[in-house]
């Protein structure tokens, strides 16, 4: 089983300030985590950070203990909500592994936590080093503690702390690490990415992730290849269109043909399905290549509930609408939005609106009622742009992938905290970075909740209806 844990940069900073107050003594906290399991993966997402009072703990430079009644209320809370409990403490001396004292303490604490909470979920123990690095282990169904495969911190910089290093001696790794930083290939080989939409921007984005050496990639798309979209789907053919082959099948076959190690996990359904949400919920990063408000809203929810960095890719062609020049392109725009879970969202950035989400849902469920509401001017008529120029889509996809790489191994001159989104204009030859916007009051309360029922709080994703 691959068990990972994710937290936000804000949660990480709260922990770091508490665990290293400057006195050289150990300190401790508890993490109450939501979770989601799918296949052989389980992802813990930090919901609450509980700081254990320094004055109520017995603190030394190589160990820490506390009275049982200090944590009982939090164990009761975890039992009530079915949350995983993860102990965190520091090693002020920078000891890079669990100590013998830690082993004894975890063997006493974690079985008690498992029995107390009762649910069939993992519980764990994490150590933070002075540099902020984290490493951890978990206890689940057996009595043996196992290493967490990855601990990730989602912020303007994406910090990834894998349990083990992969062999990086291949020419593939050496040339890539030279460009983007030592260890890039080894880190990417541990990651699962999710791509929603495998057509215009999703197809070239998938190709790049495979060539970068991602370990696993979830691809979600319900549609089949058609002759009208052969001009923008890599590796597709006229034969695929005539055979009505699923886009995910074509993409998987092309990936297998490369003989590269990336594993493709295909989900031939819409994003608004339990199968798609489950697959995305255990990803380490997700990319949205969809053009509906509903799809973008759902991806923003997955990012929030499971603390997953989210890159949203959008392209728009500005064309003359009427007259002799009708159809002539005036400019080509695109934007890559990077969403840090718990901060701003596509809603607070005014990229999507809940009114349009509601309209799209009504259009699918009751087209006649939707038409009536448009006539009544309750909703404005939908106008979805679907650019179909491969050079534009590949440019946008590359921009998103390079933004991701810059956040894993920084290479930009400006700090990542100054780059909330990147907008381009090919007509004006302009590339502009916009700063992070204000936090989203609507989504922030659901940070780290993990899998709930209905999924990501949407009634249409009730598994009883699937």
């Amino acid at each position: 089983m691959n068990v990972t844990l994710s937290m936000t940069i804000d949660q990480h900073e709260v922990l770091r300030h508490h665990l290293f107050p400057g006195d050289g003594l150990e300190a401790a906290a508890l993490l109450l985590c939501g979770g989601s399991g799918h296949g052989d993966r389980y992802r813990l997402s930090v919901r609450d950070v509980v700081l254990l009072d320094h004055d109520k703990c017995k603190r030394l430079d190589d160990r820490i203990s506390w009275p049982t009644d200090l944590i009982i209320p939090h164990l009761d809370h975890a039992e009530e909500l079915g949350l995983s409990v993860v102990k965190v403490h520091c090693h002020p001396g920078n000891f890079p592994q669990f100590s013998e004292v830690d082993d004894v303490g975890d063997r006493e604490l974690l079985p008690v936590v498992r029995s107390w909470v009762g649910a069939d979920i993992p519980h764990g123990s994490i150590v933070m080093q002075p540099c902020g690095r984290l490493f951890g282990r978990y206890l689940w169904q057996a009595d043996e503690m196992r290493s967490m495969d990855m601990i990730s911190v989602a912020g303007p910089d994406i910090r990834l702390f894998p349990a083990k290093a992969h062999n990086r001696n291949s020419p593939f790794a050496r040339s890539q690490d030279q460009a983007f930083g030592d260890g890039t290939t080894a880190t990417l080989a541990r990651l699962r990415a999710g791509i929603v939409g495998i057509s215009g921007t999703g197809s070239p984005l998938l190709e790049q992730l495979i060539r970068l050496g991602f370990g696993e990639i979830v691809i979600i798309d319900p549609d089949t290849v058609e002759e009208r979209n052969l001009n923008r789907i890599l590796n597709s053919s006229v034969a695929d269109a005539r055979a009505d082959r699923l886009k995910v099948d074509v993409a998987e076959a092309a990936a297998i043909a490369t003989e590269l190690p990336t594993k493709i996990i295909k989900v031939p359904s819409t994003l608004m399905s339990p199968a798609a949400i489950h697959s995305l919920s255990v990803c380490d990063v997700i990319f949205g290549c969809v053009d509906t408000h509903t799809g973008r809203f759902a991806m923003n929810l997955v990012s929030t509930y499971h603390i997953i960095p989210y890159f949203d890719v959008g392209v728009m062609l500005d064309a003359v609408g009427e007259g002799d020049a009708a159809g002539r392109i005036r400019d080509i725009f695109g934007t890559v939005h990077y969403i840090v879970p718990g901060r701003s969202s596509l809603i607070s950035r005014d990229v999507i609106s809940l009114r349009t989400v509601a309209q799209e849902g009504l259009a699918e469920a009751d087209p006649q009622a939707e038409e009536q509401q448009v006539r009544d001017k309750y909703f404005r008529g939908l106008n979805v742009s679907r650019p179909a120029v491969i050079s534009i889509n590949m440019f946008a996809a590359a921009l998103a992938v390079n933004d991701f790489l810059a956040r894993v191994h920084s290479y930009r001159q400006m700090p990542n905290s100054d780059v909330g989104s990147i907008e381009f204009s090919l007509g004006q030859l302009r590339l502009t970075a916009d700063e992070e916007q204000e936090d989203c009051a609507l989504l922030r309360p659901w940070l780290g909740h993990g899998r709930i029922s209905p999924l990501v709080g949407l009634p249409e994703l009730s598994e009883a209806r699937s």
Side-chain angles (χ1 to χ4, degrees):
M1 179 65 73
N2 180 303
V3 175
T4 63
L5 181 142
S6 60
M7 67 178 68
T8 69
I9 183 61
D10 301 309
Q11 294 167 333
H12 184 270
E13 285 301 303
V14 167
L15 278 174
R16 189 170 182 178
H17 281 102
H18 175 74
L19 296 179
F20 295 97
D23 56 11
L25 304 178
E26 288 196 4
L30 296 179
L31 306 178
L32 303 184
C33 304
S36 180
H38 182 70
D40 63 350
R41 284 181 170 251
Y42 195 95
R43 185 176 183 86
L44 295 165
S45 49
V46 177
R47 175 170 171 169
D48 297 307
V49 178
V50 179
L51 306 178
L52 300 186
D53 192 327
H54 292 156
D55 294 334
K56 294 181 180 179
C57 298
K58 183 179 179 180
R59 302 173 59 224
L60 301 173
D61 61 358
D62 64 347
R63 67 194 67 201
I64 184 171
S65 61
W66 54 82
T68 304
D69 59 6
L70 188 62
I71 67 170
I72 285 178
H74 308 297
L75 296 182
D76 288 339
H77 185 57
E79 178 191 17
E80 179 184 3
L81 298 180
L83 303 177
S84 293
V85 178
V86 178
K87 180 194 82 172
V88 189
H89 75 288
C90 64
H91 279 177
N94 205 31
F95 190 60
Q97 61 192 52
F98 287 100
S99 68
E100 292 182 3
V101 174
D102 297 336
D103 293 342
V104 172
D106 287 351
R107 280 197 295 266
E108 291 178 354
L109 177 64
L110 294 185
V112 171
V113 171
R114 179 172 61 182
S115 298
W116 197 294
V117 175
D120 183 18
I121 52 179
H123 304 281
S125 175
I126 288 177
V127 172
M128 179 182 281
Q129 296 177 264
C131 64
R133 179 179 177 269
L134 300 162
F135 57 90
R137 58 191 178 189
Y138 67 93
L139 181 72
W140 199 346
Q141 295 155 335
D143 293 329
E144 180 184 358
M145 289 182 288
R146 300 180 180 275
S147 295
M148 291 183 183
D149 292 85
M150 177 79 71
I151 300 175
S152 59
V153 180
D157 298 307
I158 300 174
R159 302 190 66 184
L160 302 167
F161 305 110
K164 303 174 185 176
H166 275 215
N167 186 349
R168 296 183 287 112
N169 294 326
S170 68
F172 178 96
R174 286 197 298 271
S175 61
Q176 184 161 284
D177 288 2
Q178 185 177 9
F180 289 107
D182 185 49
T184 298
T185 305
T187 300
L188 298 184
R190 305 298 299 271
L191 300 185
R192 171 186 279 200
I195 305 176
V196 181
I198 309 296
S199 195
T201 51
S203 172
L205 201 151
L206 171 63
E207 183 74 14
Q208 292 175 72
L209 298 192
I210 292 171
R211 303 293 172 173
L212 286 169
F214 268 74
E216 297 180 350
I217 305 175
V218 174
I219 54 175
I220 299 172
D221 198 308
D223 296 330
T224 57
V225 176
E226 302 176 55
E227 289 197 26
R228 66 182 179 86
N229 50 39
L230 290 176
N231 66 340
R232 59 187 181 274
I233 302 178
L234 301 187
N235 302 303
S236 63
S237 67
V238 172
D240 294 327
R242 290 174 178 170
D244 206 29
R245 291 185 69 194
L246 287 165
K247 293 177 182 177
V248 293
D249 287 343
V250 172
E252 180 191 41
I256 292 173
T258 67
E259 299 186 25
L260 293 171
T262 301
K263 177 184 177 182
I264 301 296
I265 301 160
K266 57 185 182 180
V267 183
S269 73
T270 68
L271 174 58
M272 301 301 288
S273 70
I277 299 298
H278 288 327
S279 297
L280 285 182
S281 71
V282 293
C283 288
D284 300 293
V285 59
I286 52 179
F287 296 87
C289 303
V290 296
D291 53 14
T292 65
H293 286 232
T294 302
R296 285 173 156 155
F297 179 52
M299 293 198 70
N300 216 149
L301 288 173
V302 171
S303 169
T304 302
Y305 274 79
H306 302 285
I307 309 187
I308 305 174
Y310 166 34
F311 293 83
D312 178 85
V313 189
V315 176
M316 182 182 72
L317 273 65
D318 179 21
V320 177
E322 55 188 23
D324 294 339
R328 182 178 61 83
I329 293 176
R330 290 185 292 210
D331 205 344
I332 299 168
F333 301 103
T335 307
V336 174
H337 283 275
Y338 173 57
I339 302 300
V340 177
R343 293 193 176 179
S344 68
S345 71
L346 295 179
I347 300 170
S348 61
R349 297 184 187 187
D350 293 325
V351 177
I352 63 174
S353 74
L354 294 183
R355 168 171 284 194
T356 306
V357 170
Q359 182 181 0
E360 289 174 349
L362 184 61
E364 181 176 342
D366 190 345
Q368 291 183 341
E370 188 269 341
E371 290 174 4
Q372 182 61 48
Q373 290 201 1
V374 171
R375 287 194 294 271
D376 294 341
K377 297 184 179 181
Y378 184 76
F379 290 128
R380 291 184 298 172
L382 294 180
N383 182 18
V384 178
S385 176
R386 299 177 183 268
V389 181
I390 191 168
S391 58
I392 300 168
N393 292 325
M394 292 184 78
F395 185 92
L399 193 62
V401 173
N402 283 312
D403 189 26
F404 165 77
L405 289 170
R407 297 178 189 280
V408 174
H409 288 293
S410 182
Y411 62 82
R412 287 193 286 237
Q413 294 184 8
M414 66 172 59
N416 287 323
S417 56
D418 290 346
V419 186
S421 63
I422 305 172
E423 179 182 295
F424 67 83
S425 163
L426 296 184
Q428 303 170 45
L429 291 180
R430 173 176 54 83
L431 198 66
T432 307
D434 289 329
E435 295 181 351
E436 176 69 270
Q437 305 298 310
E438 64 182 27
D439 291 354
C440 179
L442 177 66
L443 297 189
R444 186 175 176 82
W446 303 104
L447 183 69
H449 276 50
R451 183 181 298 185
I452 65 169
S453 183
L455 295 174
V456 293
L458 296 178
E460 55 266 46
L461 285 172
S462 171
E463 296 189 84
R465 297 172 53 184
S466 65

